[in-house]
Amino acid sequence: MTTVEIATDPQAHASPGVVRRPRSSWRSPALLLALAVIALVALAALLPGALTRQDPLVIHLDQSFAAPSAEHWFGNDQSGRDVFARVVHGTRQSVLIGLGATALAMAGALVLGLLAGLGSRFTDGAVNRAVEVLYAFPGLLLALVLITVFGNGALTQIVAVGVASLPGYTRMVRGQVLAVRFAPYVQAARTLGHPSRTIVARTILPNAFRPLVALITLGVGQAIVWAAALGFLGLGVQPPAPEWGAMLNAGRNYLQQAWWLDFFPGAVIILTTLAVTVLGRFLQNATRPGSPS
């Protein structure tokens, strides 16, 4: 009798040409590292005193350009201020701008996206034309124009970066609403006689918004980078207040004699953005239709 071997590898039963996505896992080393960085950034934003007791604004001229040491981990700047303390205390400002701008952009996108996806053809066309006008300006350039018109400050940065991010979010919300609008469960809710407001609030909006969570996470990282870029250009929070982009701008003239002035704020921006991006990619894979649970 011939022995028949049964393949136990699930890939053996897959259809030819079908590539299975790798299973997302919370145990991924990259994801765990990203979560650790995000937790540390959150701690610095909420409780900076838990990480350092140094005052970020106190000047010690006798310690100007002091190199990193056991007492001052990131060294001192041209005024003798502790760079580590300034990076830690500047976290709240940078993260606040990133989260605020993303929340503002998504709130506006939900309103415009629902109007375009559920409204008449005229409403849809009007929203699309407005979005195309905003798309004509590069995002950072649009933020620069708004800050130039309305002035510097954290609130202005939030509005500027939020408006610059609005077109992309609006198109994504509109696309999701159009995909959900004629879904069978929405038609079933209409058949059962549920009011239109209830259907939109409890059925269309949650199902359209859920796939966007991962993209929103990625948008926070982009907003933080844009806020740092505006600070670097001198259009953000003004010195001596600690802010990552402003610190990069202040230290660029002393790179040869004090490399740490730009290295550590820049490294924190990169690590924070990478951590948020890794988390966003994980959520994107985990919420993608057909992904394994």
Side-chain angles (χ1 to χ4, degrees), residues 25-75:
S25 174
W26 287 100
R27 298 179 181 179
S28 168
L31 179 62
L32 293 177
L33 182 59
L35 291 176
V37 172
I38 292 174
L40 192 60
V41 170
L43 178 62
L46 297 175
L47 298 171
L51 297 178
T52 178
R53 295 185 177 180
Q54 297 282 348
D55 190 327
L57 301 179
V58 172
I59 295 175
H60 299 283
L61 294 179
D62 58 325
Q63 299 180 13
S64 299
F65 299 114
S69 62
E71 183 179 1
H72 302 284
W73 293 353
F74 291 180

Side-chain angles (χ1 to χ4, degrees), residues 74-77 81-87 247 260-261 264-265:
F74 291 180
N76 294 67
D77 64 7
R81 295 170 298 197
D82 187 83
V83 175
F84 178 73
R86 292 181 62 77
V87 169
M247 293 177 66
W260 54 87
L261 297 184
F264 289 112

Side-chain angles (χ1 to χ4, degrees), residues 57-284:
L57 301 179
V58 172
I59 295 175
H60 299 283
L61 294 179
D62 58 325
Q63 299 180 13
S64 299
F65 299 114
S69 62
E71 183 179 1
H72 302 284
W73 293 353
F74 291 180
N76 294 67
D77 64 7
Q78 65 275 15
S79 299
R81 295 170 298 197
D82 187 83
V83 175
F84 178 73
R86 292 181 62 77
V87 169
V88 170
H89 284 269
T91 303
R92 177 179 299 176
Q93 195 75 29
S94 299
V95 172
L96 176 64
I97 293 172
L99 293 176
T102 304
L104 179 63
M106 181 50 63
L110 286 175
V111 174
L112 295 177
L114 286 173
L115 286 175
L118 300 177
S120 63
R121 182 176 300 179
F122 173 80
T123 304
D124 186 21
V127 172
N128 283 329
R129 297 296 84 76
V131 169
E132 288 175 359
V133 170
L134 292 177
Y135 254 129
F137 298 89
L140 188 56
L141 177 60
L142 180 59
L144 286 171
V145 171
L146 292 175
I147 289 180
T148 302
V149 173
F150 296 104
N152 298 339
L155 182 59
T156 307
Q157 274 189 292
I158 290 175
V159 174
V161 177
V163 172
S165 305
L166 180 62
Y169 287 127
T170 300
R171 283 193 169 180
M172 288 188 291
V173 172
R174 175 183 176 274
Q176 290 296 326
V177 170
L178 290 176
V180 172
R181 179 179 181 180
F182 299 105
Y185 50 84
V186 176
Q187 299 299 328
R190 290 197 178 99
T191 302
L192 293 174
H194 293 299
S196 299
R197 293 182 179 179
T198 302
I199 294 175
V200 172
R202 297 185 179 181
T203 305
I204 295 179
L205 186 58
N207 286 281
F209 182 76
R210 190 176 297 113
L212 301 177
V213 173
L215 297 176
I216 293 173
T217 306
L218 296 173
V220 172
Q222 174 182 284
I224 291 176
V225 172
W226 282 8
L230 293 173
F232 179 80
L233 295 174
L235 298 175
V237 179
Q238 297 303 301
E243 194 272 330
W244 293 344
M247 293 177 66
L248 290 175
N249 183 38
R252 64 188 177 88
N253 295 322
Y254 309 102
L255 285 177
Q256 293 184 352
Q257 62 185 110
W259 54 268
W260 54 87
L261 297 184
D262 274 353
F263 175 80
F264 289 112
V268 171
I269 294 173
I270 293 173
L271 286 176
T272 302
T273 306
L274 285 178
V276 174
T277 300
V278 170
L279 177 60
R281 293 298 184 189
F282 172 82
L283 294 175
Q284 192 175 35

